[in-house]
Amino acid sequence: MPLPDRSPAERPKSMRDHAYTHLRDAIVSGDLAPGERLRDPELEAWLGVSRTPIREAIARLEVAGLVQTRRAKQTVVAPLDTRTALAAQRIAAALHALAVREAVPQLTAADLEAMSNANAAFARALHVDDVDAAIAADDAFHGVAVRASANPLLPGLLEQVTPLLRRLERARFGSLAGRGSVADHDRIIELCVAGLADEAAAATHDNWSTLGRLLHLDDDDEAPSPATDQGAPWPSPTSPATS
């Protein structure tokens, strides 16, 4: 099993979270490819932790749809399943809309500034095609509302679906072209400043729904067969998300 060249950084207090985070990121980035077999001894050497936290991390990743356990207890990186990712996208859109709706009455000037700063960083990253920085900035932008909503269940629920979306974005577009734009974010900020919670929530939902429209899978009757994306003639986005 070829592992990423870079070794995980300083380990946190929770070995389970450490193992989960680095395995998740390696799968989302494509460093661990679809179908790659995950062997405990190799993961132990790479992550510097024992088998128990690795097994716990893999169980979380399996629930999130990033790994699969096959016969003979072989654990592999899950294939890219566009249908599953788009189902996750619909859930993420609803959850982020909920976060914004609940957050708007509680957003402070500092929160709004943080959203503006994150969107500026997002624009810079898109301009230079820095995918990692763009993803971090996009997460930071939407994370403001998630935190401000003070809904304790939202972070965990979003962690169940967001990695699938990030993985598909990287695999299909090599960027964040599958969803959202700087202009979308600007509109969300304007609505938040105006205190229009429902409108800001709707704009956020639309921002998270772009990926499905680009893949032309919003209509189940027109969708290609499920399974995986291997060998499928997927469409490419016609315009970058840098408006």
Side-chain angles (χ1 to χ4, degrees):
M1 174 182 65
L3 292 167
D5 293 334
R6 55 187 181 278
S7 297
E10 181 181 348
R11 294 184 298 177
K13 293 181 180 180
S14 170
M15 295 298 99
R16 176 180 57 190
D17 290 345
H18 167 76
Y20 169 79
T21 298
H22 288 287
L23 279 170
R24 177 202 65 196
D25 291 350
I27 293 171
V28 169
S29 68
D31 286 339
L32 290 175
E36 194 73 57
R37 185 175 175 184
L38 302 177
R39 298 179 175 86
D40 287 347
E42 294 177 357
L43 294 177
E44 290 171 21
W46 177 52
L47 295 168
V49 300
S50 65
R51 184 176 185 274
T52 298
I54 288 173
R55 286 287 101 193
E56 292 173 343
I58 285 176
R60 287 179 64 187
L61 292 166
E62 188 162 16
V63 170
L66 294 176
V67 304
Q68 295 177 345
T69 300
R70 296 177 175 173
R71 282 180 289 184
K73 297 184 178 180
Q74 290 185 359
T75 302
V76 299
V77 177
L80 284 167
D81 186 332
T82 307
R83 287 272 187 142
T84 300
L86 289 170
Q89 167 255 306
R90 295 184 181 102
I91 295 171
L95 291 175
H96 278 288
L98 173 63
V100 169
R101 184 176 291 108
E102 293 185 351
V104 165
Q106 308 178 73
L107 288 172
T108 65
D111 290 329
L112 294 169
E113 182 180 7
M115 293 174 73
S116 295
N117 291 340
N119 197 29
F122 182 63
R124 290 192 298 270
L126 289 176
H127 182 69
V128 298
D129 295 324
D130 187 337
V131 178
D132 289 335
I135 288 176
D138 194 53
D139 284 340
F141 175 86
H142 292 286
V144 173
V146 173
R147 291 190 299 274
S149 73
N151 187 323
L153 298 181
L154 279 175
L157 292 171
L158 285 167
E159 179 60 29
Q160 289 290 326
V161 295
T162 304
L164 283 171
L165 305 184
R166 295 306 195 196
R167 188 183 185 212
L168 183 61
E169 285 171 335
R170 283 177 175 275
R172 292 280 62 106
F173 306 115
S175 70
L176 290 183
R179 182 181 54 75
S181 70
V182 176
D184 290 339
H185 291 172
D186 282 336
R187 178 61 177 159
I188 293 167
I189 293 171
E190 290 173 3
L191 293 168
C192 288
V193 170
L196 300 174
D198 289 341
E199 291 84 347
T204 300
H205 188 281
D206 190 61
N207 177 245
W208 278 90
S209 298
T210 309
L211 180 61
R213 292 195 297 273
L214 282 172
L215 289 175
H216 306 295
L217 289 181
D218 282 339
D219 185 347
D220 288 340
D221 293 335
E222 297 178 1
S225 59
T228 72
D229 70 341
Q230 295 177 357
W234 300 108
S236 298
T238 57
S239 60
T242 56
S243 57

